[in-house]
Amino acid sequence: MLFKDEVVLVTGSTRGIGLSVAQAFAKEGALVIIIGRNQQQAKTVADEIKAQGFLADGFGCDVTVLAQVQETVNKILDIHKRIDILVNNAGITRDNLLLRLEESDWDEVIKVNLKGVFNVTKVVTKAMLKAKKGKVISISSVIGITGNAGQANYAASKAGVIAFSKSVAREFAQRNITANVVAPGYIRTDMTAKISEVMQQKLLEHIPLARFGETSDVAGVCLFLASPSANYITGQTIVVDGGLTI
Ligand code: NDP
């Protein structure tokens, strides 16, 4: 088991990609910390993982509120003593063309997708520094590389995650902490279920592997980046998009 005795915190892991990432780490022996805004939901998801014979705990925490993140991480460290791996996954979309994009759409997306990554990374890396080891993996998006009409706020937030992670990688390289990014293309989750059938067909025509990704496609890359096989990789972005952006 690749991650036996390790504690892995995955933000936004009550469903979708985050849940799949948490399940994959749990199957490899890690104790996974489930985080979502709703405490009860996070606990229920953790209980479901435990019922399958794995190790998990759940906490309600809004990643946009630094004080809440600090309080939650303190609780996790009190109970579980360590956080070896952080996966910054929580993210939202509020899509619209720029002329129709409201200030609140901009603020909310930047707050969750970028400030949330700052908040959690800042607090968790402090514990990693003490432990003299750690792996930080952040989920960006191919949209953060290519941009997309109707997603200026989302694209800016996800590009920010890439630049932020490169800076974290440089700051912590000598402290045995790596920071990398996974940039998925279109993955089948609640987030992409909002895309119309017609648009889905159009998108498929541009994906060389001719299918949308599964959450497990992203989870596998997170496992790799957190594993000893990736010890010499930092500041990188791995695109998981079926060839969409070739
Ligand atoms: P989902 O909408 O399915 O899940 C989002 C998760 O984030 C939920 O668990 C949600 O829980 C949590 N969350 C949202 N806001 C907050 C917050 N403020 N604090 C804590 N948790 C929060 O999204 P996906 O699984 O599709 O996406 C996961 C990540 O992958 C996102 O960062 C997304 O941008 C990225 N991504 C997704 C792609 C896709 O095709 N699906 C493609 C590229 C990137 P709750 O609402 O209970 O708080």
Side-chain angles (χ1 to χ4, degrees):
M1 291 216 265
L2 214 45
F3 299 104
K4 190 171 177 302
D5 297 330
E6 300 207 43
V7 177
V8 184
L9 188 160
V10 186
T11 67
S13 43
T14 52
R15 59 176 187 270
I17 292 172
L19 174 56
S20 189
V21 169
Q23 285 168 330
F25 275 109
K27 282 180 190 158
E28 286 294 339
L31 186 154
V32 292
I33 308 293
I34 302 297
I35 302 272
R37 278 168 300 186
N38 185 305
Q39 162 99 7
Q40 191 49 52
Q41 206 183 348
K43 290 272 176 218
T44 303
V45 170
D47 286 345
E48 284 164 7
I49 293 174
K50 284 196 275 187
Q52 291 163 11
F54 305 119
L55 300 170
D57 200 354
F59 295 84
C61 175
D62 184 336
V63 297
T64 66
V65 185
L66 182 59
Q68 240 184 76
V69 171
Q70 184 69 69
E71 194 185 322
T72 306
V73 169
N74 288 347
K75 273 190 220 157
I76 295 166
L77 291 172
D78 273 354
I79 303 169
H80 301 293
K81 309 299 173 206
R82 52 198 285 179
I83 299 171
D84 303 278
I85 297 159
L86 163 65
V87 183
N88 284 309
N89 166 80
I92 59 165
T93 51
R94 294 279 184 278
D95 298 349
N96 223 328
L97 294 169
L98 186 57
L99 294 180
R100 291 193 205 129
L101 201 64
E102 300 288 343
E103 187 182 12
S104 58
D105 298 327
W106 175 269
D107 289 346
E108 197 53 32
V109 166
I110 298 294
K111 206 161 81 176
V112 178
N113 297 6
L114 188 53
K115 188 181 179 215
V117 171
F118 159 75
N119 284 344
V120 184
T121 306
K122 181 179 166 63
V123 173
V124 172
T125 50
K126 205 168 172 191
M128 288 177 171
L129 279 173
K130 280 191 192 145
K132 297 192 170 62
K133 77 184 193 74
K135 301 253 163 121
V136 179
I137 298 159
S138 300
I139 309 298
S140 174
S141 164
V142 288
I143 303 303
I145 299 169
T146 63
N148 194 23
Q151 290 197 301
N153 52 351
Y154 184 76
S157 72
K158 293 300 189 179
V161 168
I162 294 173
F164 173 81
S165 300
K166 287 181 185 173
S167 307
V168 171
R170 286 183 185 276
E171 280 189 36
F172 292 129
Q174 289 178 1
R175 315 298 284 269
N176 202 23
I177 297 170
T178 62
N180 289 291
V181 173
V182 181
Y186 290 92
I187 308 295
R188 290 201 304 131
T189 67
D190 290 353
M191 190 179 268
T192 42
K194 294 179 213 161
I195 301 170
S196 73
E197 194 62 39
V198 177
M199 184 55 92
Q200 290 197 21
Q201 282 312 314
K202 272 195 186 160
L203 283 169
L204 274 177
E205 288 167 19
H206 296 285
I207 301 175
L209 288 178
R211 65 169 177 87
F212 289 112
E214 301 297 333
T215 56
S216 57
D217 293 317
V218 179
V221 179
C222 292
L223 290 196
F224 165 68
L225 287 173
S227 77
S229 303
N231 278 353
Y232 198 54
I233 300 176
T234 196
Q236 300 305 306
T237 298
I238 300 191
V239 172
V240 182
D241 70 350
L244 174 70
T245 57
I246 289 171

